[in-house]
Amino acid sequence: MSDSEAQTITKLITTNVELDNIGYGSQGATLDIGGQSNSDKGVEEFKITAKNGVWLTAAVSQGAGENNHLERIELQTGSNGYFRVGTQKNDPNHVVALVDQDFTKGGLVDVQQVEASNAGSVAINSWVSDAVLSRYDLKDTGLFTTDDTDALIDYNLTSGNDVLNLAIDTDVLEAVDTKVAVKSGDGNDVVTVMASNGLTGDKAVALQVNTAAAGWLVNQQLLDNITIDAGAGNDWVLTPGAGAAIINAGAGNDVVRVDNAGDRGVFVFNNATTDIQKLVTNQDIVSNSDDALSNGANDTAQTYNFFKAQVQVSFKGFESKFVTIDSTNYQTTTKQINQAIKKAVNEDAVLSKLMFAHDNEGNALGLESLIDGLLATNELVIDIIPPVAFDANETAAAKAAREKAGNLMLTTDDLTKADAAYKQATGTLNTGAIDTAVTNAEGLYASEFGTINSAPYTTLPTATNDATAYVAGTNGVVTLTVSAETTGAGTVTVGGRTISLDDLTADVNNTAAEIAAELNLLKTNSPTTTLAFGATNIPLSAITIANALAAVTFTVDANWMGDNSVANLTGLTPVFALGTATGAAVGAGAVVTTPGTATTPESQTITFASPDKDGTITVGGINVAVLATDTAAQVGDKVQAALHEQTIGGQVVSVTDNNAGVVTIKFPAVGGDVAAVTVTQVASTNVTGTASGAESDNVINLGSGQDVLTLGTGALSNDTVQITGYDNGVNTIVNFTAGAVADNNGADLLDFNAYLTSVNATTKAPIAKTVSADNADVVVDNSVTIIEFNDGTALEIADVAVTFDSLTAANVKAMINGTEVGGTHYFGELDLNLTAGAANSTSNYVILVHDNAQVGNENNEGVYKAFHVTSTGTSTDAADVKLIGTFDFGETAAGNSYLDGLVASNLGQGIA
């Protein structure tokens, strides 16, 4: 290595570095070039020449302080050289948001610009933290200008096969000057760009997921400041989590996956257990059951008397090609079926981007979704298609229909040979028996979710009922005898409460009745008011007050005594001080006539141990999360905190613990004898997948090629599929949500603006974009119209049969302009007419021809061919028709196309 003295070129302190064969094909050392000694200044730009392959752990310029001063790397390697920084993983499925990179020990940190267009290939892990904002403060004017690059995050990669994992702090993304530009160049690249929220405990970047429009996201959306250009080549572009990016996939067979921050579903087949923690999910494992000895695996037959069968896998309506299942001596094992399913999924151009199939122990099979979202079991279908009998007279049309349905044809002697192999009487085997065997085998491949055993305890603790048994008490009674009369208004103090009397009858009976009535009124209005019984204050709510002749009785509820540690009323001295009424003295006496005994409330204890794994237990209906690392005492503390003063069995309980895992639950005396508190746990949870909590608002242009796009599943997401150009190939679009679009409502947009350019001939104002009703007789100018393709019946145009697969732009033009049937314009069986425009105007239409044939095993409702149709002036004939491309939107769990319900706002029309 050699480096020149640091020098200032333009605004940056720059050094030239030459590196040769660093790491020898594996991860090597850290490049750290300091600046001026004893100062917090460093080198801001590395100009690196990398020869014979360079793989660094990190590249930094650390001064005397903590800051990394490196801002920019300019790289050249020669056409065959490579340059890598950080930990690199080979993940062919690209489901990891960002590689497991500890950014305190490796990768690029706060490097805003990489210029690598003169290099052979790069693989870079990079994190731009909020520390770069200080550079804005020092060098920026506050407003971004074309010649001010301080706030530009620019990664310009090579024409080779590159990998970029770039995470940018949300504080940086919402800064007014920030602009992010990633250009991966030609080659087969993998580009991940994500918003981050600092570092995790493992010092990897923390994925940013927002369940609502956080301030940073609103600002970033307004700035619209992330652009990713993938260039030519078969690229992967991933933008996990929340954010809004403009993504241009370019030419080539690309995969674009936005958001994908939710959970992913897992299906299992031919399995003795659904527990995915027990099933091996290593993609390198091979099935461990022998073909000839596999009948006992998973407690069910594993070998079947059929052969020449094919399998097809459909996920969310996207179908694999038919794959022939191998057989041995005219028999087929589940191991052979599994390998065919794996091939159907893992080698399919589309399904391999959506799922991964792998062997499990004992001939079990696992299919894991690579995309998030809540799944239903009917969204994954595995069909095993039996062969059909030999037919020497099969017509070409019958052959085409058979092949379309996935049926192979047996030869003339297949059944005889199979019959001998099965050791049956000659001539007894027929295709019906084969069909039955296929049906039996297919039963093992009915879709079933994998589960996660989330039970934290192998043996659940149970409550010790009646640790303190409930014992009913008896009510205590105090009797107040009124022994003097009043002749007018006055007051009386009873148990410390002074009440007014208005007795004009000079009758002790009336005085007693009035005392009882006034106290009951006070009880009604203020039940928590207390009366003093000696040194004990008892609330009126616990006392029943009545009168009989000259006596007032106070009955104290035994349950109150039980809940309040009052043993009984014996020995208590009620204080009743009767006041003097006008004109006469009033006297009184009070005695305990029934002592009463306190109720003994019930208590129960539960002894908790340390859990076996993380999970949730439910105690008395209340959930408590526990960790495998919790001690018994910690579990007890968690249960006590969760249950104390909560309602269990209709009663508010008091809960204590002894700091050793023993929890005591005390019920109120009014609860009576209580059933034992239940402790439960969820034994397993279906791995169904979940929608993302992030808001994804990306604009994606897939360009040309056979592309696969997965949109965000968040309830707040509004992704846009931007379509331009012609002959774009077959594009697969997953998770498109049709329906009225509003800000943050989850509906997506289909941008046909490149074609729907019609303007009013007089005012030149754009004509509103609309969606015509399905199979509309009249196609409106500047509209998208969905046309059903003749219900699967081949059309004849100029005596030439046309199928959906063979449908061309010329066919569409001929059908629009044709007059074979009664002088009308026919598209299939539909009378299709274009709207007459104004003179000297051009009208534009997008027609989506829907493949609703549903022939054989083709069950995908979501396939459309898109055509751009133009007409001129007042003519209702098509002047020009061009194929835009074929789009497969898949099929919902309900069996509908994801494009059903398309409205004008899905085209961007009428959105505020």
Side-chain angles (χ1 to χ4, degrees):
M1 180 184 77
S2 66
D3 66 81
S4 65
E5 293 183 2
Q7 53 184 321
T8 301
I9 301 176
T10 64
K11 294 189 296 183
L12 299 179
I13 301 172
T14 303
T15 190
N16 298 319
V17 184
E18 184 175 304
L19 304 174
D20 192 345
N21 196 16
I22 303 297
Y24 298 96
S26 60
Q27 186 171 329
T30 292
L31 174 65
D32 186 352
I33 302 176
Q36 183 177 343
S37 61
N38 299 320
S39 74
D40 190 23
K41 290 186 178 180
V43 179
E44 297 164 323
E45 180 182 38
F46 290 174
K47 291 190 174 182
I48 298 175
T49 300
K51 298 180 179 179
N52 300 312
V54 171
W55 190 345
L56 300 174
T57 293
V60 298
S61 177
Q62 206 93 33
E66 294 292 326
N67 293 330
N68 175 31
H69 297 276
L70 182 61
E71 299 181 25
R72 186 176 190 274
I73 294 176
E74 184 177 312
L75 180 68
Q76 58 182 3
T77 67
S79 59
N80 296 321
Y82 66 82
F83 179 79
R84 300 174 185 168
V85 182
T87 302
Q88 301 296 326
K89 277 187 176 180
N90 179 23
D91 177 15
N93 299 315
H94 305 297
V95 296
V96 180
L98 195 67
V99 293
D100 186 17
Q101 175 70 66
D102 181 343
F103 277 100
T104 65
K105 297 179 180 179
L108 299 181
V109 177
D110 296 339
V111 175
Q112 294 176 240
Q113 299 177 33
V114 172
E115 173 53 60
S117 57
N118 290 323
S121 69
V122 297
I124 297 172
N125 299 336
S126 181
W127 172 47
V128 179
S129 77
D130 58 2
V132 303
L133 295 176
S134 63
R135 298 173 184 169
Y136 295 17
D137 295 337
L138 291 173
K139 299 180 180 179
D140 203 11
T141 60
L143 295 174
F144 185 85
T145 58
T146 56
D147 60 350
D148 185 352
T149 60
D150 296 322
L152 179 63
I153 299 171
D154 187 8
Y155 278 68
N156 190 19
L157 308 184
T158 79
S159 59
N161 300 333
D162 301 319
V163 175
L164 174 64
N165 295 299
L166 174 62
I168 306 170
D169 192 274
T170 55
D171 287 345
V172 177
L173 288 175
E174 69 169 332
V176 65
D177 293 352
T178 299
K179 289 191 179 296
V180 179
V182 174
K183 297 177 285 295
S184 68
D186 296 340
N188 302 330
D189 307 314
V190 179
V191 175
T192 300
V193 178
M194 59 177 277
S196 72
N197 184 18
L199 297 180
T200 67
D202 295 328
K203 307 305 181 184
V205 290
L207 178 65
Q208 181 60 256
V209 177
N210 289 87
T211 55
W216 79 266
L217 183 57
V218 172
N219 292 334
Q220 193 267 310
Q221 290 168 334
L222 293 172
L223 292 170
D224 200 18
N225 58 356
I226 302 175
T227 302
I228 303 170
D229 291 309
N234 302 330
D235 305 310
W236 287 73
V237 179
L238 304 100
T239 58
I246 299 171
I247 301 170
N248 298 304
N253 301 330
D254 305 311
V255 179
V256 180
R257 194 180 285 159
V258 301
D259 185 9
N260 205 37
D263 295 329
R264 298 179 289 275
V266 177
F267 297 88
V268 292
F269 302 91
N270 188 32
N271 49 295
T273 176
T274 59
D275 187 351
I276 63 173
Q277 295 162 316
K278 294 180 180 178
L279 293 170
V280 177
T281 57
N282 186 327
Q283 62 184 357
D284 297 324
I285 190 174
V286 295
S287 183
N288 65 353
S289 296
D290 184 88
D291 284 339
L293 301 173
S294 59
N295 277 331
N298 301 333
D299 299 322
T300 188
Q302 300 285 291
T303 301
Y304 295 89
N305 289 343
F306 68 82
F307 57 99
K308 285 192 176 178
Q310 297 204 106
V311 69
Q312 184 182 52
V313 179
S314 173
F315 179 53
K316 296 177 75 71
F318 304 105
E319 297 170 318
S320 72
K321 293 181 172 60
F322 296 109
V323 175
T324 302
I325 305 171
D326 289 338
S327 58
T328 304
N329 199 24
Y330 297 95
Q331 290 184 315
T332 301
T333 67
T334 56
K335 175 181 176 181
Q336 292 168 321
I337 297 171
N338 290 353
Q339 305 319 302
I341 293 171
K342 285 166 57 182
K343 183 176 181 179
V345 173
N346 298 342
E347 297 182 19
D348 186 84
V350 174
L351 286 187
S352 63
K353 312 306 187 299
L354 307 179
M355 299 202 84
F356 175 67
H358 53 76
D359 290 303
N360 287 142
E361 295 280 0
N363 274 352
L365 181 72
L367 270 70
E368 299 184 37
S369 175
L370 302 178
I371 59 176
D372 67 357
L374 179 63
L375 297 173
T377 52
N378 67 347
E379 290 186 273
L380 176 63
V381 178
I382 296 177
D383 282 319
I384 301 176
I385 302 99
V388 296
F390 176 74
D391 181 2
N393 300 313
E394 183 181 47
T395 65
K399 179 181 179 181
R402 172 177 60 79
E403 291 177 346
K404 197 172 184 68
N407 300 105
L408 298 177
M409 181 184 287
L410 299 175
T411 64
T412 54
D413 59 352
D414 271 342
L415 291 178
T416 301
K417 291 180 178 179
D419 187 78
Y422 302 157
K423 297 181 180 180
Q424 299 180 150
T426 302
T428 60
L429 184 65
N430 55 45
T431 54
I434 292 177
D435 291 346
T436 299
V438 166
T439 300
N440 292 336
E442 206 168 31
L444 297 179
Y445 295 92
S447 293
E448 180 180 19
F449 285 118
T451 61
I452 292 179
N453 183 357
S454 54
Y457 284 100
T458 303
T459 303
L460 265 177
T462 57
T464 300
N465 195 9
D466 295 337
T468 302
Y470 169 80
V471 179
T474 58
N475 297 336
V477 180
V478 174
T479 301
L480 164 66
T481 301
V482 179
S483 58
E485 300 176 354
T486 60
T487 58
T491 62
V492 62
T493 300
V494 181
R497 298 296 168 188
T498 299
I499 57 176
S500 298
L501 297 175
D502 187 19
D503 179 20
L504 302 178
T505 61
D507 186 294
V508 293
N509 294 337
N510 286 344
T511 301
E514 190 171 2
I515 290 172
E518 290 295 331
L519 287 174
N520 277 320
L521 179 61
L522 180 60
K523 175 180 176 179
T524 299
N525 295 330
S526 181
T528 60
T529 298
T530 61
L531 294 184
F533 286 70
T536 302
N537 294 315
I538 302 178
L540 288 171
S541 60
I543 306 171
T544 301
I545 305 167
N547 74 285
L549 299 177
V552 181
T553 59
F554 300 83
T555 303
V556 181
D557 192 320
N559 289 333
W560 183 89
M561 292 188 286
D563 282 335
N564 292 275
S565 302
V566 178
N568 51 57
L569 290 180
T570 303
L572 296 181
T573 305
V575 178
F576 298 102
L578 292 179
T580 300
T582 303
V586 178
V591 296
V592 176
T593 54
T594 303
T597 58
T599 296
T600 302
E602 178 174 340
S603 67
Q604 301 180 18
T605 60
I606 308 173
T607 301
F608 291 94
S610 177
D612 302 308
K613 61 175 65 174
D614 297 352
T616 300
I617 57 175
T618 302
V619 184
I622 297 172
N623 292 334
V624 182
V626 295
L627 302 175
T629 55
D630 284 343
T631 64
Q634 288 172 321
V635 175
D637 290 344
K638 289 182 176 181
V639 173
Q640 188 278 332
L643 272 59
H644 185 58
E645 296 185 347
Q646 298 300 310
T647 300
I648 297 179
Q651 306 294 329
V652 177
V653 297
S654 173
V655 184
T656 59
D657 75 280
N658 71 344
N659 297 319
V662 179
V663 173
T664 299
I665 304 172
K666 182 178 179 181
F667 291 86
V670 293
D673 190 12
V674 183
V677 172
T678 58
V679 183
T680 61
Q681 59 189 358
V682 177
S684 61
T685 303
N686 285 341
V687 187
T688 59
T690 62
S692 172
E695 180 179 340
S696 171
D697 298 305
N698 301 280
V699 177
I700 307 102
N701 190 321
L702 293 173
S704 60
Q706 316 298 311
D707 303 317
V708 179
L709 166 63
T710 303
L711 301 176
T713 58
L716 304 178
S717 298
N718 302 116
D719 290 315
T720 299
V721 182
Q722 185 183 68
I723 300 171
T724 58
Y726 300 98
D727 296 318
N728 285 317
V730 179
N731 291 310
T732 299
I733 300 171
V734 187
N735 293 333
F736 186 89
T737 302
V741 179
D743 187 29
N744 301 332
N745 76 335
D748 299 311
L749 290 89
L750 200 56
D751 181 352
F752 283 113
N753 290 337
Y755 317 100
L756 301 179
T757 58
S758 298
V759 297
N760 183 286
T762 303
T763 66
K764 306 303 180 184
I767 294 176
K769 294 182 287 292
T770 61
V771 174
S772 299
D774 286 5
N775 283 344
D777 288 335
V778 179
V779 180
V780 180
D781 189 7
N782 232 36
S783 71
V784 172
T785 302
I786 298 175
I787 302 297
E788 303 297 332
F789 187 76
N790 202 42
D791 299 323
T793 304
L795 302 178
E796 287 194 359
I797 301 173
D799 298 324
V800 176
V802 177
T803 65
F804 179 85
D805 290 339
S806 68
L807 184 68
T808 65
N811 298 149
V812 173
K813 183 176 181 180
M815 282 188 279
I816 292 174
N817 297 347
T819 57
E820 284 105 338
V821 185
T824 56
H825 298 176
Y826 267 77
F827 190 99
E829 297 175 351
L830 178 71
D831 184 4
L832 181 69
N833 295 277
L834 304 180
T835 303
N840 302 317
S841 68
T842 299
S843 298
N844 293 273
Y845 319 85
V846 170
I847 294 179
L848 300 178
V849 183
H850 181 208
D851 180 13
N852 64 346
Q854 305 296 285
V855 176
N857 280 39
E858 286 194 345
N859 297 314
N860 188 353
E861 282 280 354
V863 180
Y864 302 79
K865 280 189 175 180
F867 296 91
H868 179 202
V869 179
T870 59
S871 64
T872 57
T874 58
S875 173
T876 58
D877 283 346
D880 188 30
V881 179
K882 292 180 179 178
L883 174 65
I884 298 171
T886 300
F887 299 91
D888 189 348
F889 290 89
E891 183 177 319
T892 68
N896 303 314
S897 167
Y898 275 88
L899 212 58
D900 284 0
L902 191 74
V903 295
S905 60
N906 291 124
L907 308 179
Q909 185 68 46
I911 301 175

